[in-house]
Amino acid sequence: MTQTATRETALKEAEAACLRRGATLTPLRRQVLELVLDADAPVGAYALLDRLKATRPGAAPPTVYRALDFLLEQGLIHKLERLNAYIGCTDAGHGHAHDHHHPHQFLICRTCGATTEITDHGVAHAIEAAARRAGFALAEATVEIEGTCARCLA
Amino acid sequence: MTQTATRETALKEAEAACLRRGATLTPLRRQVLELVLDADAPVGAYALLDRLKATRPGAAPPTVYRALDFLLEQGLIHKLERLNAYIGCTDAGHGHAHDHHHPHQFLICRTCGATTEITDHGVAHAIEAAARRAGFALAEATVEIEGTCARCLA
DNA sequence: TGCACTCTGAGATATTATATCATCGAGCGA
DNA sequence: TCGCTCGATGATATAATATCTCAGAGTGCA
């Protein structure tokens, strides 16, 4: 499966997911999503803005941030807090109708910057258990694992 | 044990830890650490800067950020990535001599802002296992769990 | 038509963090 | 003692990230 194919698939799924939820994936939002998906590593908001300006000269920071907020709410992208950057969700649309989010974790390579989203149920369960023991009602957990990826280790 | 007592204990342990490692806890660094410990929730760098200015009128952003960098390296404080804020480490000095860091997680209450550091080995092990399965050499993991704390639920 | 609502444009501003160069003093060897 | 290096701090400027506010355009609908 080529990169282009996964990109198109992701866009199709994004449209379907928005449709199901009554959310509107406008051309602008769709374009920002494409820009995020096209990047091969997490992208910063201002990098997206620069690219957006190529076709939309009037674009300003709120243009990008509003689109990013929408995409985050819909679970179509994630924010990497340690990098202040954004990345496409690898299984958007797999969330519930009411909660578009799903437990996920990131592996961030310090050497090459490659960032991989995983959904590890062991981690998710351990976090749920820890929250429960503390009498804490879990809403969402950020898990960002930094280190060196398999490719860079080889 | 009163808050003041834990504060003094933490400061003593910080001094001892720096001594052991050949690091210098200068008056400025110590003062910034005190400011972080005195706050009852995570504090932003510029909030610290304002407080620092009360006794050190010439203080500027680098003044604070350099101190924070030092304290982070020594494992005396942690950064909350989701909040862009800093908090005292609850068991500084328990790290190894070579690696001042220890696995830890945060529980962040969205209602009252209270943030609790925990060291849950279940979570730590699950993360190690997930990294290993991906052939990924773990360096450090950020775990920030958002939700509602026990007090706010009651 | 008139109204409510959502989305976008446009400009200003707020917040968080870093780069750069100068200065100062402690330690240390010639 | 002199001069050197090095770590820490002072001081100024700037970069990078994110939000606020007001206005206008389009859409759906009573």
Side-chain angles (χ1 to χ4, degrees):
Chain A
M1 190 188 269
T2 68
Q3 183 60 34
T4 307
T6 66
R7 189 192 106 129
E8 294 310 322
T9 303
L11 283 171
K12 285 229 178 351
E13 282 178 3
E15 291 192 343
C18 287
L19 204 58
R20 277 202 305 281
R21 296 165 190 157
T24 320
L25 188 64
T26 63
L28 173 60
R29 291 164 175 173
R30 191 191 152 102
Q31 191 183 350
V32 172
L33 176 55
E34 287 175 29
L35 288 173
V36 173
L37 294 173
D38 284 350
D40 57 352
V43 229
Y46 280 72
L48 292 170
L49 177 55
D50 283 346
R51 294 171 203 178
L52 198 56
K53 278 179 174 165
T55 58
R56 227 176 250 264
T63 312
V64 159
Y65 280 105
R66 285 191 289 228
L68 290 173
D69 286 346
F70 172 86
L71 298 170
L72 287 167
E73 266 175 26
Q74 297 302 318
L76 301 175
I77 64 173
H78 296 297
K79 177 173 184 183
L80 287 144
E81 300 289 345
R82 293 190 67 106
L83 307 178
N84 293 317
Y86 305 84
I87 192 172
C89 176
T90 50
D91 67 345
H94 292 193
H96 289 219
H98 302 299
D99 175 6
H100 312 152
H101 307 289
H102 59 97
H104 62 278
Q105 304 87 33
F106 290 104
L107 298 169
I108 305 172
C109 179
R110 282 179 177 168
T111 302
C112 68
T115 298
T116 308
E117 179 181 345
I118 60 175
T119 298
D120 185 289
H121 298 290
V123 172
H125 291 153
I127 285 174
E128 281 161 23
R132 201 161 41 239
R133 275 196 290 280
F136 189 93
L138 187 155
E140 199 177 356
T142 298
V143 181
E144 298 180 9
I145 304 171
E146 281 194 27
T148 311
C149 73
R151 265 177 60 88
C152 287
L153 282 171
Chain B
M1 190 189 269
T2 67
Q3 182 60 33
T4 308
T6 65
R7 188 192 108 129
E8 294 309 323
T9 304
L11 282 170
K12 285 228 178 354
E13 282 177 4
E15 291 192 343
C18 286
L19 203 58
R20 276 202 305 282
R21 295 166 192 157
T24 319
L25 187 63
T26 63
L28 173 60
R29 290 164 175 174
R30 190 192 152 104
Q31 190 183 349
V32 172
L33 176 55
E34 287 176 28
L35 289 172
V36 174
L37 294 173
D38 285 350
D40 57 354
V43 229
Y46 280 73
L48 291 171
L49 178 55
D50 284 344
R51 294 172 203 179
L52 199 56
K53 278 179 176 165
T55 59
R56 229 176 249 265
T63 313
V64 158
Y65 280 104
R66 284 191 289 228
L68 290 173
D69 286 346
F70 172 85
L71 298 169
L72 287 167
E73 267 177 23
Q74 297 301 319
L76 300 175
I77 64 173
H78 296 297
K79 178 173 185 183
L80 287 143
E81 300 289 345
R82 293 189 67 105
L83 308 178
N84 293 316
Y86 304 84
I87 193 171
C89 175
T90 50
D91 66 345
H94 292 193
H96 290 219
H98 301 299
D99 176 6
H100 311 153
H101 308 287
H102 59 96
H104 61 278
Q105 304 87 32
F106 290 105
L107 298 169
I108 305 172
C109 179
R110 282 178 176 168
T111 302
C112 69
T115 298
T116 308
E117 179 180 345
I118 60 176
T119 297
D120 186 289
H121 297 292
V123 172
H125 290 153
I127 286 175
E128 281 161 23
R132 200 161 41 238
R133 275 196 290 280
F136 189 93
L138 187 155
E140 199 177 356
T142 297
V143 181
E144 299 180 10
I145 304 170
E146 281 194 25
T148 311
C149 72
R151 264 176 61 88
C152 287
L153 282 171

